Short mmCIF file of all heavy atoms in Angstrom, two decimals:
data_model
loop_
_atom_site.label_atom_id
_atom_site.label_comp_id
_atom_site.label_asym_id
_atom_site.label_seq_id
_atom_site.Cartn_x
_atom_site.Cartn_y
_atom_site.Cartn_z
N MET K 1 31.33 -41.68 -0.15
CA MET K 1 30.18 -41.69 0.71
C MET K 1 28.94 -42.03 -0.11
O MET K 1 28.81 -41.58 -1.24
CB MET K 1 29.99 -40.35 1.38
CG MET K 1 31.10 -39.94 2.32
SD MET K 1 30.73 -38.39 3.12
CE MET K 1 30.53 -38.93 4.77
N GLN K 2 28.08 -42.78 0.50
CA GLN K 2 26.83 -43.12 -0.16
C GLN K 2 25.68 -42.76 0.77
O GLN K 2 25.71 -43.03 1.96
CB GLN K 2 26.77 -44.61 -0.46
CG GLN K 2 27.79 -45.03 -1.50
CD GLN K 2 27.69 -46.52 -1.79
OE1 GLN K 2 26.98 -47.25 -1.12
NE2 GLN K 2 28.40 -46.95 -2.81
N TRP K 3 24.68 -42.13 0.19
CA TRP K 3 23.51 -41.74 0.94
C TRP K 3 22.31 -42.49 0.40
O TRP K 3 22.17 -42.66 -0.81
CB TRP K 3 23.28 -40.24 0.83
CG TRP K 3 24.39 -39.45 1.41
CD1 TRP K 3 24.63 -39.20 2.72
CD2 TRP K 3 25.46 -38.81 0.70
NE1 TRP K 3 25.76 -38.45 2.88
CE2 TRP K 3 26.30 -38.19 1.65
CE3 TRP K 3 25.80 -38.68 -0.64
CZ2 TRP K 3 27.43 -37.47 1.32
CZ3 TRP K 3 26.93 -37.98 -0.99
CH2 TRP K 3 27.73 -37.38 -0.01
N THR K 4 21.44 -42.92 1.30
CA THR K 4 20.27 -43.68 0.87
C THR K 4 19.06 -42.78 0.64
O THR K 4 18.12 -43.19 -0.03
CB THR K 4 19.91 -44.75 1.91
OG1 THR K 4 19.68 -44.13 3.17
CG2 THR K 4 21.03 -45.78 2.04
N ASN K 5 19.09 -41.56 1.18
CA ASN K 5 17.97 -40.64 0.95
C ASN K 5 18.46 -39.20 1.04
O ASN K 5 19.62 -38.95 1.41
CB ASN K 5 16.82 -40.90 1.94
CG ASN K 5 17.25 -40.78 3.37
OD1 ASN K 5 18.16 -40.04 3.69
ND2 ASN K 5 16.59 -41.53 4.27
N ALA K 6 17.61 -38.27 0.71
CA ALA K 6 17.98 -36.86 0.69
C ALA K 6 18.31 -36.34 2.09
O ALA K 6 19.19 -35.49 2.25
CB ALA K 6 16.86 -36.03 0.08
N SER K 7 17.63 -36.86 3.09
CA SER K 7 17.89 -36.43 4.46
C SER K 7 19.33 -36.73 4.87
O SER K 7 20.00 -35.88 5.48
CB SER K 7 16.91 -37.13 5.41
OG SER K 7 17.27 -36.93 6.74
N GLU K 8 19.82 -37.90 4.54
CA GLU K 8 21.21 -38.26 4.85
C GLU K 8 22.19 -37.40 4.05
O GLU K 8 23.25 -37.02 4.56
CB GLU K 8 21.46 -39.73 4.56
CG GLU K 8 20.84 -40.67 5.55
CD GLU K 8 21.17 -42.12 5.24
OE1 GLU K 8 22.05 -42.38 4.40
OE2 GLU K 8 20.53 -43.00 5.84
N PHE K 9 21.82 -37.10 2.82
CA PHE K 9 22.68 -36.25 1.99
C PHE K 9 22.85 -34.87 2.62
O PHE K 9 23.95 -34.36 2.75
CB PHE K 9 22.12 -36.12 0.58
CG PHE K 9 22.85 -35.13 -0.28
CD1 PHE K 9 24.10 -35.43 -0.79
CD2 PHE K 9 22.31 -33.89 -0.56
CE1 PHE K 9 24.78 -34.53 -1.59
CE2 PHE K 9 22.97 -32.98 -1.34
CZ PHE K 9 24.22 -33.30 -1.86
N PHE K 10 21.73 -34.26 3.02
CA PHE K 10 21.81 -32.92 3.60
C PHE K 10 22.43 -32.92 4.99
O PHE K 10 23.00 -31.92 5.41
CB PHE K 10 20.43 -32.26 3.61
CG PHE K 10 19.95 -31.87 2.24
CD1 PHE K 10 18.89 -32.52 1.65
CD2 PHE K 10 20.60 -30.88 1.53
CE1 PHE K 10 18.48 -32.17 0.38
CE2 PHE K 10 20.20 -30.52 0.26
CZ PHE K 10 19.13 -31.18 -0.32
N ALA K 11 22.35 -34.04 5.70
CA ALA K 11 22.97 -34.13 7.02
C ALA K 11 24.48 -34.29 6.90
O ALA K 11 25.23 -33.90 7.80
CB ALA K 11 22.39 -35.30 7.80
N MET K 12 24.96 -34.84 5.79
CA MET K 12 26.39 -35.02 5.51
C MET K 12 27.13 -35.69 6.67
O MET K 12 28.20 -35.26 7.07
CB MET K 12 27.07 -33.68 5.19
CG MET K 12 26.62 -33.02 3.95
SD MET K 12 27.53 -33.69 2.60
CE MET K 12 26.74 -32.88 1.24
N GLY K 13 26.54 -36.72 7.20
CA GLY K 13 27.20 -37.46 8.26
C GLY K 13 27.40 -36.65 9.53
O GLY K 13 28.36 -36.86 10.27
N GLY K 14 26.53 -35.71 9.78
CA GLY K 14 26.64 -34.87 10.98
C GLY K 14 27.35 -33.55 10.74
O GLY K 14 27.41 -32.71 11.63
N TYR K 15 27.92 -33.38 9.55
CA TYR K 15 28.65 -32.15 9.23
C TYR K 15 27.87 -31.24 8.30
O TYR K 15 28.42 -30.27 7.76
CB TYR K 15 30.01 -32.48 8.61
CG TYR K 15 30.93 -33.20 9.55
CD1 TYR K 15 31.12 -34.57 9.44
CD2 TYR K 15 31.58 -32.52 10.57
CE1 TYR K 15 31.96 -35.25 10.32
CE2 TYR K 15 32.41 -33.19 11.44
CZ TYR K 15 32.60 -34.54 11.31
OH TYR K 15 33.41 -35.19 12.19
N GLY K 16 26.62 -31.52 8.09
CA GLY K 16 25.80 -30.76 7.15
C GLY K 16 25.72 -29.28 7.48
O GLY K 16 25.77 -28.44 6.58
N LEU K 17 25.61 -28.95 8.74
CA LEU K 17 25.53 -27.53 9.13
C LEU K 17 26.77 -26.77 8.68
O LEU K 17 26.67 -25.68 8.11
CB LEU K 17 25.37 -27.41 10.65
CG LEU K 17 25.32 -25.98 11.20
CD1 LEU K 17 24.08 -25.26 10.68
CD2 LEU K 17 25.33 -26.00 12.70
N TYR K 18 27.93 -27.37 8.86
CA TYR K 18 29.18 -26.71 8.47
C TYR K 18 29.32 -26.66 6.95
O TYR K 18 29.72 -25.65 6.38
CB TYR K 18 30.37 -27.43 9.08
CG TYR K 18 30.28 -27.52 10.58
CD1 TYR K 18 30.03 -28.72 11.21
CD2 TYR K 18 30.43 -26.38 11.36
CE1 TYR K 18 29.93 -28.80 12.58
CE2 TYR K 18 30.33 -26.45 12.74
CZ TYR K 18 30.09 -27.66 13.33
OH TYR K 18 29.99 -27.73 14.69
N VAL K 19 28.99 -27.78 6.29
CA VAL K 19 29.12 -27.85 4.83
C VAL K 19 28.18 -26.86 4.16
O VAL K 19 28.59 -26.02 3.36
CB VAL K 19 28.86 -29.29 4.33
CG1 VAL K 19 28.79 -29.33 2.82
CG2 VAL K 19 29.91 -30.24 4.85
N TRP K 20 26.89 -26.96 4.48
CA TRP K 20 25.90 -26.09 3.83
C TRP K 20 26.03 -24.65 4.30
O TRP K 20 25.77 -23.72 3.54
CB TRP K 20 24.50 -26.64 4.04
CG TRP K 20 24.35 -27.98 3.39
CD1 TRP K 20 24.16 -29.17 4.01
CD2 TRP K 20 24.45 -28.28 1.99
NE1 TRP K 20 24.12 -30.19 3.09
CE2 TRP K 20 24.29 -29.68 1.85
CE3 TRP K 20 24.65 -27.51 0.86
CZ2 TRP K 20 24.33 -30.29 0.60
CZ3 TRP K 20 24.68 -28.14 -0.39
CH2 TRP K 20 24.53 -29.51 -0.50
N GLY K 21 26.46 -24.46 5.53
CA GLY K 21 26.70 -23.09 6.01
C GLY K 21 27.83 -22.42 5.26
O GLY K 21 27.73 -21.25 4.87
N SER K 22 28.89 -23.17 4.99
CA SER K 22 30.01 -22.58 4.25
C SER K 22 29.63 -22.33 2.81
O SER K 22 30.03 -21.32 2.22
CB SER K 22 31.24 -23.48 4.33
OG SER K 22 31.00 -24.73 3.73
N PHE K 23 28.83 -23.22 2.21
CA PHE K 23 28.33 -22.96 0.86
C PHE K 23 27.47 -21.70 0.84
O PHE K 23 27.56 -20.88 -0.07
CB PHE K 23 27.51 -24.14 0.33
CG PHE K 23 28.32 -25.20 -0.33
CD1 PHE K 23 28.36 -26.48 0.19
CD2 PHE K 23 29.04 -24.93 -1.49
CE1 PHE K 23 29.10 -27.47 -0.41
CE2 PHE K 23 29.79 -25.92 -2.11
CZ PHE K 23 29.82 -27.19 -1.57
N GLY K 24 26.62 -21.55 1.83
CA GLY K 24 25.74 -20.39 1.91
C GLY K 24 26.51 -19.09 2.06
O GLY K 24 26.20 -18.10 1.40
N ILE K 25 27.50 -19.09 2.93
CA ILE K 25 28.31 -17.88 3.13
C ILE K 25 29.08 -17.54 1.87
O ILE K 25 29.16 -16.37 1.47
CB ILE K 25 29.25 -18.07 4.34
CG1 ILE K 25 28.43 -18.07 5.62
CG2 ILE K 25 30.31 -16.98 4.38
CD1 ILE K 25 29.20 -18.47 6.85
N CYS K 26 29.63 -18.55 1.22
CA CYS K 26 30.37 -18.33 -0.03
C CYS K 26 29.43 -17.77 -1.10
O CYS K 26 29.78 -16.82 -1.82
CB CYS K 26 30.99 -19.63 -0.50
SG CYS K 26 31.99 -19.45 -1.98
N PHE K 27 28.24 -18.33 -1.23
CA PHE K 27 27.26 -17.85 -2.21
C PHE K 27 26.87 -16.40 -1.92
O PHE K 27 26.81 -15.57 -2.83
CB PHE K 27 26.03 -18.75 -2.20
CG PHE K 27 24.97 -18.32 -3.17
CD1 PHE K 27 25.11 -18.57 -4.52
CD2 PHE K 27 23.83 -17.67 -2.72
CE1 PHE K 27 24.14 -18.17 -5.41
CE2 PHE K 27 22.85 -17.27 -3.60
CZ PHE K 27 23.00 -17.52 -4.95
N ALA K 28 26.64 -16.08 -0.65
CA ALA K 28 26.26 -14.72 -0.28
C ALA K 28 27.39 -13.73 -0.60
O ALA K 28 27.14 -12.64 -1.11
CB ALA K 28 25.91 -14.65 1.21
N ALA K 29 28.63 -14.13 -0.34
CA ALA K 29 29.76 -13.26 -0.64
C ALA K 29 29.90 -13.05 -2.15
O ALA K 29 30.18 -11.93 -2.61
CB ALA K 29 31.05 -13.86 -0.08
N MET K 30 29.68 -14.11 -2.92
CA MET K 30 29.79 -13.99 -4.37
C MET K 30 28.67 -13.13 -4.96
O MET K 30 28.85 -12.49 -5.99
CB MET K 30 29.80 -15.37 -5.02
CG MET K 30 31.07 -16.14 -4.71
SD MET K 30 31.06 -17.81 -5.35
CE MET K 30 31.16 -17.50 -7.10
N MET K 31 27.52 -13.10 -4.31
CA MET K 31 26.42 -12.26 -4.77
C MET K 31 26.61 -10.81 -4.33
O MET K 31 26.26 -9.87 -5.04
CB MET K 31 25.08 -12.77 -4.24
CG MET K 31 24.65 -14.10 -4.81
SD MET K 31 24.36 -14.04 -6.59
CE MET K 31 25.76 -14.96 -7.21
N ALA K 32 27.19 -10.61 -3.15
CA ALA K 32 27.36 -9.26 -2.60
C ALA K 32 28.50 -8.51 -3.28
O ALA K 32 28.43 -7.28 -3.43
CB ALA K 32 27.60 -9.33 -1.10
N GLU K 33 29.54 -9.20 -3.69
CA GLU K 33 30.72 -8.53 -4.24
C GLU K 33 30.42 -7.66 -5.45
O GLU K 33 30.82 -6.49 -5.48
CB GLU K 33 31.81 -9.56 -4.56
CG GLU K 33 33.11 -8.94 -5.05
CD GLU K 33 33.78 -8.05 -4.01
OE1 GLU K 33 33.53 -8.22 -2.82
OE2 GLU K 33 34.58 -7.19 -4.43
N PRO K 34 29.72 -8.14 -6.48
CA PRO K 34 29.42 -7.26 -7.62
C PRO K 34 28.57 -6.04 -7.23
O PRO K 34 28.75 -4.95 -7.77
CB PRO K 34 28.65 -8.15 -8.60
CG PRO K 34 28.98 -9.53 -8.21
CD PRO K 34 29.27 -9.51 -6.75
N LEU K 35 27.67 -6.24 -6.28
CA LEU K 35 26.85 -5.11 -5.82
C LEU K 35 27.70 -4.06 -5.12
O LEU K 35 27.53 -2.86 -5.34
CB LEU K 35 25.74 -5.60 -4.89
CG LEU K 35 24.73 -6.57 -5.52
CD1 LEU K 35 23.79 -7.10 -4.46
CD2 LEU K 35 23.98 -5.91 -6.65
N LEU K 36 28.62 -4.51 -4.29
CA LEU K 36 29.50 -3.58 -3.58
C LEU K 36 30.46 -2.88 -4.55
O LEU K 36 30.73 -1.69 -4.39
CB LEU K 36 30.29 -4.32 -2.50
CG LEU K 36 29.44 -4.85 -1.34
CD1 LEU K 36 30.27 -5.76 -0.45
CD2 LEU K 36 28.84 -3.72 -0.55
N VAL K 37 30.95 -3.61 -5.54
CA VAL K 37 31.84 -3.00 -6.54
C VAL K 37 31.09 -1.93 -7.31
O VAL K 37 31.62 -0.84 -7.56
CB VAL K 37 32.41 -4.08 -7.49
CG1 VAL K 37 33.08 -3.45 -8.69
CG2 VAL K 37 33.38 -4.96 -6.75
N ARG K 38 29.85 -2.22 -7.71
CA ARG K 38 29.04 -1.24 -8.43
C ARG K 38 28.83 0.02 -7.59
O ARG K 38 28.95 1.14 -8.08
CB ARG K 38 27.69 -1.83 -8.81
CG ARG K 38 26.86 -0.88 -9.66
CD ARG K 38 25.48 -1.39 -9.94
NE ARG K 38 25.46 -2.79 -10.31
CZ ARG K 38 24.35 -3.52 -10.35
NH1 ARG K 38 23.19 -2.98 -10.02
NH2 ARG K 38 24.40 -4.79 -10.69
N HIS K 39 28.54 -0.17 -6.31
CA HIS K 39 28.33 0.97 -5.42
C HIS K 39 29.60 1.80 -5.27
O HIS K 39 29.56 3.03 -5.35
CB HIS K 39 27.86 0.48 -4.05
CG HIS K 39 27.73 1.56 -3.03
ND1 HIS K 39 26.73 2.50 -3.07
CD2 HIS K 39 28.49 1.85 -1.95
CE1 HIS K 39 26.89 3.32 -2.05
NE2 HIS K 39 27.95 2.95 -1.36
N ARG K 40 30.75 1.13 -5.07
CA ARG K 40 32.02 1.86 -4.93
C ARG K 40 32.39 2.59 -6.21
O ARG K 40 32.94 3.69 -6.18
CB ARG K 40 33.14 0.90 -4.51
CG ARG K 40 33.00 0.42 -3.08
CD ARG K 40 34.22 -0.34 -2.62
NE ARG K 40 34.50 -1.50 -3.45
CZ ARG K 40 34.27 -2.75 -3.09
NH1 ARG K 40 33.74 -3.01 -1.92
NH2 ARG K 40 34.58 -3.75 -3.90
N ARG K 41 32.08 1.99 -7.36
CA ARG K 41 32.38 2.64 -8.65
C ARG K 41 31.55 3.91 -8.81
O ARG K 41 32.08 4.96 -9.19
CB ARG K 41 32.08 1.67 -9.79
CG ARG K 41 32.39 2.25 -11.16
CD ARG K 41 32.08 1.22 -12.26
NE ARG K 41 32.39 1.75 -13.55
CZ ARG K 41 31.54 2.45 -14.30
NH1 ARG K 41 30.32 2.70 -13.85
NH2 ARG K 41 31.89 2.90 -15.48
N LYS K 42 30.26 3.83 -8.52
CA LYS K 42 29.39 5.01 -8.62
C LYS K 42 29.87 6.09 -7.66
O LYS K 42 29.87 7.28 -8.00
CB LYS K 42 27.94 4.64 -8.31
CG LYS K 42 27.28 3.87 -9.43
CD LYS K 42 25.85 3.54 -9.06
CE LYS K 42 25.18 2.73 -10.15
NZ LYS K 42 23.79 2.39 -9.81
N GLN K 43 30.27 5.70 -6.47
CA GLN K 43 30.76 6.64 -5.48
C GLN K 43 32.04 7.32 -5.96
O GLN K 43 32.20 8.54 -5.81
CB GLN K 43 30.99 5.91 -4.16
CG GLN K 43 31.17 6.80 -2.97
CD GLN K 43 31.24 5.99 -1.69
OE1 GLN K 43 31.70 4.83 -1.69
NE2 GLN K 43 30.79 6.56 -0.60
N ALA K 44 32.94 6.56 -6.55
CA ALA K 44 34.20 7.12 -7.06
C ALA K 44 33.94 8.08 -8.21
O ALA K 44 34.54 9.16 -8.29
CB ALA K 44 35.13 6.00 -7.51
N ILE K 45 33.03 7.71 -9.11
CA ILE K 45 32.69 8.60 -10.23
C ILE K 45 32.09 9.90 -9.71
O ILE K 45 32.42 10.98 -10.18
CB ILE K 45 31.74 7.88 -11.21
CG1 ILE K 45 32.50 6.78 -11.95
CG2 ILE K 45 31.13 8.87 -12.20
CD1 ILE K 45 31.61 5.88 -12.79
N ARG K 46 31.22 9.79 -8.71
CA ARG K 46 30.60 10.98 -8.12
C ARG K 46 31.65 11.89 -7.49
O ARG K 46 31.61 13.12 -7.66
CB ARG K 46 29.57 10.54 -7.07
CG ARG K 46 28.53 11.58 -6.78
CD ARG K 46 27.43 11.07 -5.84
NE ARG K 46 26.86 9.81 -6.26
CZ ARG K 46 26.86 8.69 -5.51
NH1 ARG K 46 27.37 8.69 -4.31
NH2 ARG K 46 26.33 7.57 -5.97
N GLN K 47 32.64 11.31 -6.80
CA GLN K 47 33.70 12.11 -6.19
C GLN K 47 34.56 12.79 -7.25
O GLN K 47 34.95 13.95 -7.09
CB GLN K 47 34.59 11.24 -5.31
CG GLN K 47 33.95 10.87 -3.99
CD GLN K 47 34.86 9.98 -3.16
OE1 GLN K 47 35.80 9.37 -3.68
NE2 GLN K 47 34.58 9.92 -1.87
N ILE K 48 34.84 12.10 -8.33
CA ILE K 48 35.64 12.69 -9.42
C ILE K 48 34.89 13.84 -10.06
O ILE K 48 35.47 14.90 -10.33
CB ILE K 48 36.00 11.61 -10.46
CG1 ILE K 48 36.99 10.61 -9.86
CG2 ILE K 48 36.56 12.24 -11.73
CD1 ILE K 48 37.22 9.38 -10.72
N GLN K 49 33.59 13.68 -10.27
CA GLN K 49 32.79 14.75 -10.86
C GLN K 49 32.72 15.95 -9.94
O GLN K 49 32.81 17.09 -10.39
CB GLN K 49 31.38 14.25 -11.17
CG GLN K 49 31.33 13.33 -12.35
CD GLN K 49 29.94 12.73 -12.56
OE1 GLN K 49 29.10 12.76 -11.64
NE2 GLN K 49 29.71 12.18 -13.73
N GLN K 50 32.61 15.72 -8.64
CA GLN K 50 32.55 16.83 -7.69
C GLN K 50 33.89 17.56 -7.62
O GLN K 50 33.94 18.78 -7.53
CB GLN K 50 32.16 16.33 -6.30
CG GLN K 50 30.71 15.95 -6.19
CD GLN K 50 30.39 15.35 -4.85
OE1 GLN K 50 31.25 15.12 -4.02
NE2 GLN K 50 29.10 15.08 -4.63
N SER K 51 34.99 16.85 -7.69
CA SER K 51 36.29 17.49 -7.62
C SER K 51 36.62 18.24 -8.91
O SER K 51 37.34 19.24 -8.87
CB SER K 51 37.39 16.46 -7.32
OG SER K 51 37.54 15.59 -8.41
N SER K 52 36.09 17.81 -10.03
CA SER K 52 36.33 18.52 -11.28
C SER K 52 35.45 19.76 -11.41
O SER K 52 35.77 20.68 -12.14
CB SER K 52 36.11 17.60 -12.49
OG SER K 52 34.75 17.25 -12.61
N ASP K 53 34.34 19.80 -10.69
CA ASP K 53 33.45 20.95 -10.69
C ASP K 53 34.01 22.12 -9.89
O ASP K 53 33.69 23.26 -10.12
CB ASP K 53 32.06 20.59 -10.15
CG ASP K 53 31.29 19.70 -11.08
OD1 ASP K 53 31.65 19.63 -12.28
OD2 ASP K 53 30.33 19.06 -10.62
N VAL K 54 34.87 21.84 -8.95
CA VAL K 54 35.41 22.88 -8.06
C VAL K 54 36.44 23.70 -8.72
O VAL K 54 36.90 23.83 -9.66
CB VAL K 54 36.02 22.24 -6.79
CG1 VAL K 54 36.73 23.29 -5.95
CG2 VAL K 54 34.93 21.58 -6.01
#
C-alpha cells in the first residue's frame, strides 16, 4: 500500500478505525497489566501478613 499523505495513512483505506482502535486497545492492555499485577501482588502479601498474625 502506498499513501500520498498522512490523512490517507491514518484512514488505512477505510479500515483506520479498526486498525488504530485495535492498536489502542492492545496498548491500553499492555499498560494496565503491570499495574494490575502490582496491585494483586500487594494484596496477596497483605493477606499473607494478616494470616500469619492470627
Side-chain angles (χ1 to χ4, degrees):
M1 296 183 113
Q2 293 181 351
W3 297 282
T4 58
N5 58 29
S7 169
E8 287 182 12
F9 173 74
F10 289 111
M12 294 276 175
Y15 295 102
L17 178 65
Y18 304 109
V19 172
W20 296 114
S22 62
F23 273 117
I25 290 171
C26 183
F27 179 77
M30 291 176 70
M31 292 296 108
E33 184 63 23
L35 298 173
L36 294 170
V37 168
R38 184 185 316 166
H39 175 71
R40 289 189 301 255
R41 181 180 181 272
K42 286 180 182 180
Q43 194 174 30
I45 290 171
R46 202 174 309 122
Q47 284 179 341
I48 291 169
Q49 287 174 343
Q50 287 175 355
S51 67
S52 67
D53 290 342
V54 173

